[in-house]
Amino acid sequence: MAERQYDWAAIAKNPKFVELHHKKAAFLFGWWIFSTVYYFLLPIGAAYAPGLFKVKVIGVVNFGYVFALSQFFVSWGLAHYYAHVANKDFDRLTRELVDELK
């Protein structure tokens, strides 16, 4: 069976593809900036505000440990949020585009 050939230039100009690409790029760029800043707050904060990172929260656990641990929860939360948005918006736009191309 011969494979179907696609006009990729036409697909790239398709309004649904352009909308999908724009929404996805805006979403990912914004959250990439947030997560990069959040990630670098740990070493920057530890270097320039060591007193804050030494503040005891519970027993021997200090703010530095809590902040470092929070990075795991923030990344899991972002992954969960991305999956939600992808299922709601990106997948819908992709289905519409594929249906239009058939």
Side-chain angles (χ1 to χ4, degrees):
M1 179 190 273
E3 289 189 32
R4 185 172 178 183
Q5 297 296 318
Y6 294 98
D7 183 0
W8 294 108
I11 292 171
K13 293 176 187 172
N14 185 298
K16 286 190 181 355
F17 180 81
V18 172
E19 179 186 4
L20 172 63
H21 186 290
H22 175 72
K23 281 188 173 189
K24 204 170 185 182
F27 179 87
L28 292 174
F29 184 74
W31 285 109
W32 171 70
I33 293 295
F34 168 79
S35 60
T36 301
V37 169
Y38 194 75
Y39 173 81
F40 282 109
L41 280 176
L42 180 63
I44 291 169
Y48 292 104
L52 173 65
F53 278 68
K54 291 178 185 176
V55 172
K56 301 288 184 197
V57 177
I58 299 171
V60 296
V61 178
N62 62 29
F63 179 75
Y65 287 132
V66 172
F67 188 81
L69 185 61
S70 77
Q71 292 192 346
F72 288 101
F73 294 107
V74 168
S75 64
W76 292 334
L78 285 174
H80 180 72
Y81 183 62
Y82 175 79
H84 170 74
V85 171
N87 288 330
K88 186 178 73 119
D89 290 334
F90 304 152
D91 289 352
R92 176 186 52 80
L93 290 168
T94 302
R95 270 191 307 278
E96 290 173 5
L97 177 62
V98 169
D99 289 344
E100 188 176 303
L101 295 173
K102 284 186 180 179

